[in-house]
Amino acid sequence: MRIFMLGLLALFTILSPLHTAHATEQKNILVSVPALHSLVSDLMAGVATPGLLFAHADDLNNPQLSNDQKNKIDRADMMIWVGPKYESNLIPLRLSHPELVRKELTLSDNIPLFHKPIAQAAHNADYFGDMKFWLDPRLAKMAVRRMSAMLVTQFPDNYEHILDNEITLIAKLKKLESKMHQVLKSDKSVPINVPKSDVLYLAWRFNLEAPNCAQAATKLQGFDRTSGPDQYFNMMDDILEDLRVCQLHQV
């Protein structure tokens, strides 16, 4: 009997890693837009690769989801998105399939973007705030912590790996924030929710002299770049350089 039990224990020990790996591979994490997808890729490095729902700006602006996009959402175990004010083309699908809400992580629910009243809002019926909070490394850190906590529930056997990735990513975001303050020569800042208009968000966030910067405005969402862990920080470096040049021209 003892030999039989030892044999079962040995068999269980051999098969357990295979079973765990198989369970991990089955988890399907879907992220709506490239900037967030890059941050999630960092968190999941060494564990799994997240899927990307909208790879191009036209995908996000198209009022109708493609069948492929609908299938991606259907297969996902968890979908991470900003919220209905940003990915508005997801609203009809969510209304017709309320069960989708149970597997969503809606980041805009808890990101503290403060509203700044402006004249355009009073004359524009479809006015909405600029929800691209990832442009602010401090808010990106908040989102990373929320995403990490939820990813641990999806990959319990890899929780230490995900938490280690979180520590590394938070450190990189802190370094980025410090770099932005240094390059833009701004000591004081506050997160502000502003309308869709060039880079007004970052202008108010870092008290910039030049409220708009056409070069940077084309890069704020991270589309048309190679997706993956490096995409977010490469995008932010390019935006920061454009903003630096714009401030020089303003002066």
Side-chain angles (χ1 to χ4, degrees), residues 115-133:
H115 176 65
K116 184 180 182 69
I118 62 166
Q120 293 96 312
H123 306 289
N124 193 346
D126 61 352
Y127 165 82
F128 62 93
D130 182 352
M131 303 306 294
K132 298 184 286 293
F133 60 82

Side-chain angles (χ1 to χ4, degrees), residues 22-40:
H22 181 66
T24 300
E25 290 171 2
Q26 287 183 334
K27 292 298 182 180
N28 189 351
I29 309 301
L30 183 65
V31 190
S32 62
V33 290
L36 293 180
H37 177 268
S38 180
L39 294 174
V40 175

